[in-house]
Amino acid sequence: MTTSFFNGERVVVLFFISRILFSLPISLISHGVSLSLIAIAAFLLEISVDSSISPFPLSTRPGASSGILLGAITLPSLILSKLIQSSRGFSLQQIQPQEIEYLTLQYWATSASVFFVLLFLALRLRISHWGLRFSFCFIFLQTVLCIAALLSTSQIGLHPALKLSWVFFHGLASVKLIQHFMRTFPSCASIGEAFLVTAGIVLYFGDMLLLTIKKLCGLLVSSELDTTDEIKRSEINIIIQGLVLGLLLYPIALKYILQIWEWLINTIYSEQKRYYEIGRSLIFIASLGLALIVFVPLWMQFVQEFDMHPFFWVLSFVFSEPSKRLSLCIYWLCIISVSVLRFYTISKNSKIERILLRKYYHLIAVLMFSPALIFQPKFLDLAFGAALAVFLILEIIRVWRIWPFGQPINQFMNAFTDHRDSDLLIVSHFSLLLGCALPIWLSSGYNDRPLAPFAGILSLGIGDTMASMVGYKYGVLRWSKTGKKTVEGTAAGITSVLAACSLLLPLLASAGYIFTQHWFSLLLAVTASGLLEAYTAQLDNAFIPLFFYSLLCL
């Protein structure tokens, strides 16, 4: 019974939470209590799901555990770690109080998303289990604590009713989105993975909505949101946010546009139907171009004062240092061209394990992103946004089978998939890109931990790769009877990350960074992340970088 309660993944997650709680300043005690309640409720709910003999009402990815605990605590823990880091900056008078207040609002909004989804999952379980009943109790306590905290604090000057409405919106939107996600992409994700994706998207959309509402309401709402005027957003952040959210919303519009097109086709002569695929492709190109050239830039210029069209702003930014940035682009194109062509040929003609083949792309990520992160971090931010936009467009073309590239893209992508991907949704390349990009994006602004932006590159590009390669070739001692992860692989992953840090630190020091990370804290962060990679059955590219980043921020 004890073993079923505390498997390896749960023990590592509980250590992770304990490490965050141990680092909390007095001013964030209520946040720590909230995180504890979320963790206990998710822990008990996960036990109820895993011990139930009846199938879960939502269709989840085969072979993966529910992952409810890990999915529930990852994003709140990440924001709380940022709050701890920001409180250090505030004590040194390096950040303004409104930045902490805005992070606090984001924390409670994220917490609301989590406990609303936990409540939804608990209600969907049609079983009688003691863990489920206790989970309801802790969800209720978390709700009471969230309401009390919002009523007694002054995040960004909002009226209490507006604060409660704001977090309620996040919670309700998360429930609706996770339902939509699990119905639209059945068997493509575990509950924990869907948890992380939906909470992250809702939080990102919420930030966009707040910016838009502030501009729309003008002076009337500026009195309520006056501190957000002092939270400066860079043009790069606005461009990335507009691109990503515009492309996430675009398939909804495309669906209705194509439905109208099909209706029109059916009302004209039958011989015209042979042009259906061509017309469908032209509509896709025209609507996508309209969205990216007109509507998305209009929003960007509405919330941020660009002195030119955002597209021309990007060109101006790139050519402000042409020798460095264009050279970097050429370097990236060469690496991508050689690696994709080479590995695609190997994948079609070789018996090499696909999981090992995919790890070579992790190493490619290290070669591509490390130099840029050290010498051109702002340009790398923009490049990540552009790459994510390209990935989203390619996935839309693949899923909608847009002629003539839909089928070839699908065949090409399937050469690099594994058991965690499906024909409905291929996520591996997204998770690798975001796993490297998110720690870098999150580190913009105040950052007293120079290694934190490298969390994704170190954990995925080096640690995960070495763990897989060494474990596959030399691994003997397995962590579990049913799993493939080995002790030798985990040890190699942890050792390689520590070695990479020891090489990276002098390079960062020469670039002007001040090292403030204690080696004992670094050892704990690397070891905990390595053990999570060994034990978790979730999509490690998504969780481990955020897990590692949160620990590095402490």
Side-chain angles (χ1 to χ4, degrees):
M1 183 64 70
T2 303
T3 304
S4 63
F5 279 5
F6 295 101
N7 57 30
E9 180 182 295
R10 292 173 190 161
V11 170
V12 175
V13 171
L14 292 176
F15 167 79
F16 171 64
I17 296 170
S18 302
R19 178 73 181 90
I20 292 176
L21 296 178
F22 179 77
S23 303
L24 282 176
I26 299 297
S27 60
L28 298 177
I29 289 298
S30 61
H31 303 66
V33 174
S34 168
L35 182 64
S36 301
L37 292 174
I38 290 173
I40 296 172
F43 177 76
L44 295 173
L45 185 60
E46 182 173 294
I47 291 174
S48 301
V49 171
D50 291 346
S51 62
S52 174
I53 57 174
S54 58
F56 192 75
L58 299 175
S59 181
T60 59
R61 178 161 59 85
S65 60
S66 64
I68 293 174
L69 176 60
L70 182 59
I73 63 95
T74 297
L75 204 54
S77 299
L78 173 67
I79 298 177
L80 188 52
S81 297
K82 287 290 294 180
L83 272 169
I84 295 171
Q85 185 184 43
S86 298
S87 65
R88 293 196 300 267
F90 179 68
S91 64
L92 297 173
Q93 298 182 342
Q94 295 187 358
I95 66 171
Q96 299 299 316
Q98 61 269 17
E99 296 182 43
I100 295 182
E101 291 172 358
Y102 190 68
L103 268 178
T104 301
L105 182 64
Q106 287 186 310
Y107 174 80
W108 291 115
T110 305
S111 299
S113 297
V114 169
F115 70 71
F116 265 70
V117 174
L118 287 175
L119 181 61
F120 161 73
L121 295 175
L123 292 173
R124 289 295 300 268
L125 282 177
R126 299 174 182 176
I127 59 174
S128 178
H129 189 272
W130 63 268
L132 189 61
R133 292 192 290 271
F134 277 107
S135 182
F136 273 117
C137 295
F138 285 104
I139 292 172
F140 173 75
L141 290 175
Q142 163 66 13
T143 305
V144 173
L145 178 63
C146 181
I147 293 173
L150 289 170
L151 292 177
S152 60
T153 56
S154 58
Q155 286 86 15
I156 64 170
L158 284 171
H159 188 275
L162 289 177
K163 289 187 289 185
L164 291 174
S165 300
W166 189 250
V167 299
F168 179 80
F169 158 77
H170 280 75
L172 185 62
S174 295
V175 172
K176 293 295 183 181
L177 186 58
I178 198 170
Q179 286 180 287
H180 176 75
F181 181 83
M182 300 299 278
R183 284 198 304 262
T184 307
F185 303 106
S187 304
C188 290
S190 69
I191 302 173
E193 292 161 0
F195 226 131
L196 181 64
V197 171
T198 54
I201 289 176
V202 168
L203 185 66
Y204 207 39
F205 267 99
D207 183 68
M208 175 185 183
L209 183 61
L210 187 62
L211 287 173
T212 307
I213 290 174
K214 174 185 173 295
K215 287 291 184 178
L216 281 174
C217 297
L219 295 176
L220 179 62
V221 177
S222 64
S223 61
E224 293 286 348
L225 302 177
D226 54 356
T227 52
T228 56
D229 287 327
E230 302 175 31
I231 301 175
K232 301 301 181 183
R233 311 296 181 95
S234 71
E235 289 84 355
I236 292 176
N237 288 340
I238 295 296
I239 288 171
I240 294 172
Q241 193 170 20
L243 268 179
V244 172
L245 296 181
L247 288 170
L248 288 176
L249 290 172
Y250 171 71
I252 301 174
L254 181 63
K255 175 183 176 181
Y256 292 107
I257 292 171
L258 290 179
Q259 284 178 353
I260 296 172
W261 164 253
E262 289 171 0
W263 177 80
L264 290 174
I265 282 292
N266 290 329
T267 60
I268 59 178
Y269 299 108
S270 58
E271 59 264 21
Q272 296 288 333
K273 293 184 180 180
R274 59 181 177 173
Y275 300 112
Y276 171 76
E277 289 295 336
I278 297 175
R280 195 166 176 263
S281 300
L282 292 176
I283 287 174
F284 167 77
I285 295 170
S287 59
L288 181 64
L290 192 65
L292 296 183
I293 297 173
V294 178
F295 294 118
V296 169
L298 279 177
W299 176 83
M300 295 176 187
Q301 291 178 307
F302 180 71
V303 298
Q304 183 88 5
E305 293 183 0
F306 286 87
D307 54 1
M308 62 183 75
H309 190 283
F311 176 75
F312 294 112
W313 187 94
V314 170
L315 291 179
S316 175
F317 176 78
V318 173
F319 285 99
S320 62
E321 295 183 27
S323 58
K324 295 179 181 179
R325 291 169 181 170
L326 291 179
S327 299
L328 199 55
C329 289
I330 295 171
Y331 169 68
W332 287 339
L333 287 174
C334 291
I335 290 182
I336 291 171
S337 301
V338 172
S339 60
V340 168
L341 292 175
R342 175 62 177 165
F343 294 149
Y344 182 72
T345 303
I346 293 175
S347 69
K348 302 296 287 185
N349 304 320
S350 175
K351 296 182 179 180
I352 296 177
E353 284 282 341
R354 189 164 291 186
I355 185 64
L356 290 182
L357 187 64
R358 287 153 55 90
K359 297 306 175 185
Y360 288 117
Y361 280 98
H362 290 214
L363 291 176
I364 294 298
V366 177
L367 292 176
M368 290 180 61
F369 305 144
S370 296
L373 180 54
I374 296 172
F375 300 109
Q376 284 288 327
K378 291 184 178 180
F379 182 61
L380 182 60
D381 285 349
L382 187 62
F384 273 132
L388 182 57
V390 170
F391 281 1
L392 286 170
I393 292 171
L394 291 176
E395 188 66 7
I396 293 170
I397 294 173
R398 188 192 70 84
V399 170
W400 290 82
R401 296 293 195 271
I402 302 297
W403 180 86
F405 300 110
Q407 191 60 34
I409 290 175
N410 184 57
Q411 293 175 351
F412 178 81
M413 296 301 299
N414 282 328
F416 304 98
T417 58
D418 65 7
H419 64 282
R420 293 171 297 190
D421 296 306
S422 69
D423 189 58
L424 283 176
L425 193 65
I426 298 178
V427 298
S428 298
H429 56 303
F430 284 104
S431 61
L432 177 59
L433 179 70
L434 288 173
C436 294
L438 284 175
I440 297 171
W441 287 341
L442 289 167
S443 298
S444 61
Y446 175 77
N447 179 36
D448 62 345
R449 298 290 187 260
L451 284 177
F454 292 87
I457 296 172
L458 290 171
S459 59
L460 297 181
I462 296 176
D464 189 29
T465 302
M466 292 303 297
S468 295
M469 291 184 171
V470 173
Y472 178 78
K473 292 185 177 181
Y474 307 107
V476 176
L477 302 174
R478 299 190 182 276
W479 286 106
S480 65
K481 295 180 181 179
T482 56
K484 296 182 179 181
K485 305 293 179 66
T486 64
V487 176
E488 294 87 350
T490 302
I494 293 172
T495 305
S496 63
V497 172
L498 289 173
C501 290
S502 65
L503 295 174
L504 187 59
L505 292 176
L507 196 58
L508 289 174
S510 66
Y513 292 93
I514 300 174
F515 181 62
T516 57
Q517 196 97 42
H518 297 294
W519 272 104
F520 180 71
S521 300
L522 179 61
L523 178 62
L524 286 179
V526 173
T527 303
S529 301
L531 290 175
L532 180 66
E533 191 275 335
Y535 282 118
T536 188
Q538 307 302 304
L539 186 61
D540 48 8
N541 286 4
F543 286 99
I544 292 176
L546 300 181
F547 192 92
F548 190 31
Y549 175 83
S550 300
L551 291 173
L552 288 177
C553 285
L554 303 179

